[in-house]
Amino acid sequence: MLPEDFLNRMKTLLGEEYPLFLEGYQREYRPSLRLNRQKEGIVRFLAQSPFSLSPVPWCKDGFYYEKEDAPGRHPFHEAGVYYIQEASAMAPAEYLLEDMTDPGGERILDLCAAPGGKSTQLASGLRGRGLLVCNEIHPARAKILSENIERMGIQNAMVFNETPTHLAKTFPEYFTRILVDAPCSGEGMFRKNADACEEWSLANVALCKKRQAEILDAAAAMLLPGGRLVYSTCTFSPEENEGSVSSFLKRHPDFSIAKVPKADGMESGIPSWIENGAEQLCDTIRLWPHKLSGEGHYLAVLKKDGRLPAYEPQNQKNSDKRESCPQFLEFARDTLKTELSGRALWFGEQLYLRPEEMPSVNGLKVLRPGLHLGTAKKNRFVPSHALALALSPAKVKRFVDFSLDSREIYAYLNGETFAYEGEKGWYLIAVEGYAIGWGKLAGGTMKNHYPKGLRKNLWKK
């Protein structure tokens, strides 16, 4: 079912290696997940994992699992303990975070971020420090991105729904690191996604290359001197890979390709596949599905000339809006053991905790300006699901922690109430120590506050 034009081109490019490339399509896809380092107890998870895990060589938090494990239909998935992510797709964010010494001084942009795999990986590396801006131009995909940021309990991220060009005008030379996981022809996903085959054409390859140039130019304008830019695609196309990087370097002579180590199975870029390809393109990286356990990917680590300025914390001028929400203050005194750091702000009718380094968002389409704290009603405060996922049992005064083999946790995820004796008020509901949502106790009954749109029946027994 592979497109004929695609096969003919790959045969020409690969020569004697072409049969091995085709054999790769007969190998079964190997699924993988990536652990969320922001969740407390990850070391404990590895020691007591319910899945059969083996490490992904190029990602310290990446693991292959067996299909029968079905981690997507598991309470740990709903708790944001891990993100199901294709193994090769873990490489670009790892290279972007390489050599990072002080997360607090980082301002990172994921420019084409949906559905959120790489954004949540960057957030895991930042460990709640610095600033992460996640952008997606398509509104529906931006909504999915925002939901995944929420599920992983990320506090220091903002989600925009903007064009790269508009962002570039707003944030000239602002970010220390930028990831451009560019929209592409998707050839590397043919084995995993049949729809990618149907949408492929040589004309689309040319269209993608043009779009990639526009996005890369915007990224270049937003990167600080001395900053790092990682460009990646999930295609084999030389035009979109070595070709896009080569054209970018000609347009931006203040950038160069950084030479980085390759994991076992990774191959060098191939300059000879494009016209006048410079030798330095060998320092870019190709991931071939017939040479490693992952799908087709390409990446280039680019450095901008100059030196990053010394980090200076921004002078926050805005007041903390929590003071204007007595309902939240009452909720916090009654429910939380720890004070949430940062400044709160109103976003419409909702209260958010903004990242410490939050820039001005005037004139921008913002889906999520930080951690959603909740909604202030007339006489009470209703905490958000995002806040629950950003907490842990140690940070609240009341919680219920269910075990994996209890029917109650599955009933909770399906929206059911349950009987419970204790002090009335808000309770953090957890599974094996990982927060998963809210419940509110009154009269011996725990009212279920797990979002209706997320409820599902995962019970297997």
Side-chain angles (χ1 to χ4, degrees):
M1 300 297 292
L2 295 172
E4 185 175 353
D5 285 341
F6 165 74
L7 291 175
N8 289 337
R9 189 187 61 182
M10 295 308 299
K11 186 175 184 179
T12 300
L13 291 173
L14 292 172
E16 295 181 356
E17 195 176 335
Y18 179 68
L20 293 175
F21 173 74
L22 283 185
E23 286 178 17
Y25 284 94
Q26 308 305 314
R27 288 164 46 187
E28 191 172 3
Y29 166 67
R30 195 175 181 190
S32 51
L33 58 81
R34 179 182 42 76
L35 299 184
N36 180 10
R37 286 284 170 181
Q38 296 191 112
K39 290 289 180 177
E40 296 179 10
I42 287 299
V43 174
R44 171 169 49 85
F45 171 82
L46 287 173
Q48 303 174 346
S49 173
F51 313 131
S52 300
L53 302 179
S54 55
V56 172
W58 48 86
C59 179
K60 62 182 180 300
D61 294 329
F63 295 87
Y64 300 104
Y65 63 86
E66 302 300 323
K67 284 187 176 180
E68 53 268 25
D69 288 332
R73 291 186 53 80
H74 195 282
F76 283 167
H77 179 269
E78 306 310 305
V81 176
Y82 49 77
Y83 190 102
I84 296 175
Q85 185 178 21
E86 195 278 313
S88 292
M90 300 176 190
E94 284 291 300
Y95 280 105
L96 189 71
L97 293 172
E98 189 182 47
D99 82 359
M100 183 175 68
T101 56
D102 179 14
E106 297 287 352
R107 297 197 294 267
I108 298 180
L109 169 64
D110 188 355
L111 191 51
C112 313
K118 296 176 178 67
S119 285
T120 57
Q121 186 176 357
L122 294 171
S124 185
L126 286 172
R127 308 288 179 87
R129 302 184 63 200
L131 172 70
L132 175 62
V133 172
C134 315
N135 180 70
E136 174 56 45
I137 190 173
H138 299 289
R141 285 171 56 80
K143 185 174 183 295
I144 295 171
L145 166 64
S146 184
E147 290 169 352
N148 279 320
I149 293 293
E150 175 179 287
R151 182 172 64 85
M152 304 302 276
I154 298 167
Q155 299 187 43
N156 60 329
M158 306 176 69
V159 179
F160 293 164
N161 173 213
E162 277 294 347
T163 66
T165 302
H166 191 195
L167 281 183
K169 292 177 181 177
T170 308
F171 298 113
E173 293 193 341
Y174 180 81
F175 296 99
T176 58
R177 299 168 193 259
I178 298 177
L179 177 62
V180 176
D181 185 44
C184 67
S185 57
E187 297 170 359
M189 294 292 108
F190 284 175
R191 181 171 65 166
K192 182 186 173 191
N193 183 2
D195 291 341
C197 294
E198 297 178 4
E199 297 169 359
W200 184 90
S201 69
L202 289 173
N204 190 43
V205 169
L207 179 64
C208 287
K209 178 176 170 57
K210 181 177 183 297
R211 187 182 298 126
Q212 290 154 5
E214 296 170 355
I215 295 171
L216 277 169
D217 288 346
M222 288 186 277
L223 190 67
L224 279 163
R228 172 176 288 218
L229 189 160
V230 170
Y231 171 76
S232 66
T233 72
C234 57
T235 192
F236 304 118
S237 162
E239 297 94 328
E240 301 173 70
N241 294 336
E242 291 90 349
S244 283
V245 172
S246 179
S247 298
F248 172 79
L249 294 176
K250 291 174 183 176
R251 297 193 306 275
H252 299 275
D254 54 336
F255 279 80
S256 59
I257 298 173
K259 188 177 181 64
V260 293
K262 302 179 182 68
D264 289 345
M266 292 183 178
E267 298 285 325
S268 298
I270 306 175
S272 62
W273 280 1
I274 63 169
E275 186 176 356
N276 299 320
E279 188 65 23
Q280 64 174 322
L281 290 169
C282 288
D283 292 329
T284 65
I285 298 175
R286 281 184 170 270
L287 289 80
W288 294 96
H290 64 292
K291 294 187 175 182
L292 46 71
S293 292
E295 301 308 291
H297 237 76
Y298 173 86
L299 67 92
V301 180
L302 304 167
K303 294 285 289 183
K304 191 172 187 178
D305 291 348
R307 187 171 184 175
L308 284 172
Y311 168 60
E312 295 182 4
Q314 289 190 355
N315 181 21
Q316 302 291 357
K317 298 179 181 180
N318 294 355
S319 62
D320 189 345
K321 303 301 182 182
R322 273 177 289 196
E323 300 302 324
S324 65
C325 185
Q327 301 96 320
F328 173 77
L329 295 177
E330 182 179 353
F331 162 82
R333 284 192 297 267
D334 179 68
T335 310
L336 304 180
K337 278 186 178 180
T338 182
E339 184 175 346
L340 299 171
S341 63
R343 295 177 181 269
L345 78 159
W346 290 105
F347 193 68
E349 298 179 348
Q350 308 299 320
L351 189 65
Y352 280 79
L353 192 68
R354 64 194 184 99
E356 291 286 357
E357 298 290 320
M358 177 178 172
S360 171
V361 295
N362 292 337
L364 296 173
K365 297 176 185 174
V366 184
L367 270 69
R368 183 174 292 268
L371 175 65
H372 185 204
L373 296 176
T375 307
K377 305 290 186 179
K378 286 185 178 180
N379 301 312
R380 58 196 172 90
F381 183 81
V382 179
S384 72
H385 187 57
L387 177 58
L389 293 171
L391 295 171
S392 67
K395 295 178 179 179
V396 297
K397 295 180 179 178
R398 296 179 294 270
F399 64 90
V400 179
D401 189 14
F402 291 118
S403 64
L404 275 177
D405 58 4
S406 68
R407 190 187 184 282
E408 285 82 0
I409 186 60
Y410 297 92
Y412 172 79
L413 292 172
N414 201 26
E416 298 179 24
T417 61
F418 58 89
Y420 194 79
E421 294 298 327
E423 182 184 8
K424 70 176 184 178
W426 289 100
Y427 281 69
L428 189 67
I429 309 300
V431 54
E432 302 286 357
Y434 301 110
I436 205 166
W438 291 109
K440 192 173 187 182
L441 183 64
T445 299
M446 187 72 73
K447 185 177 179 182
N448 194 311
H449 280 263
Y450 195 71
K452 292 182 179 179
L454 299 179
R455 293 177 183 179
K456 60 192 69 175
N457 186 1
L458 301 179
W459 184 246
K460 299 178 181 180
K461 297 183 180 180

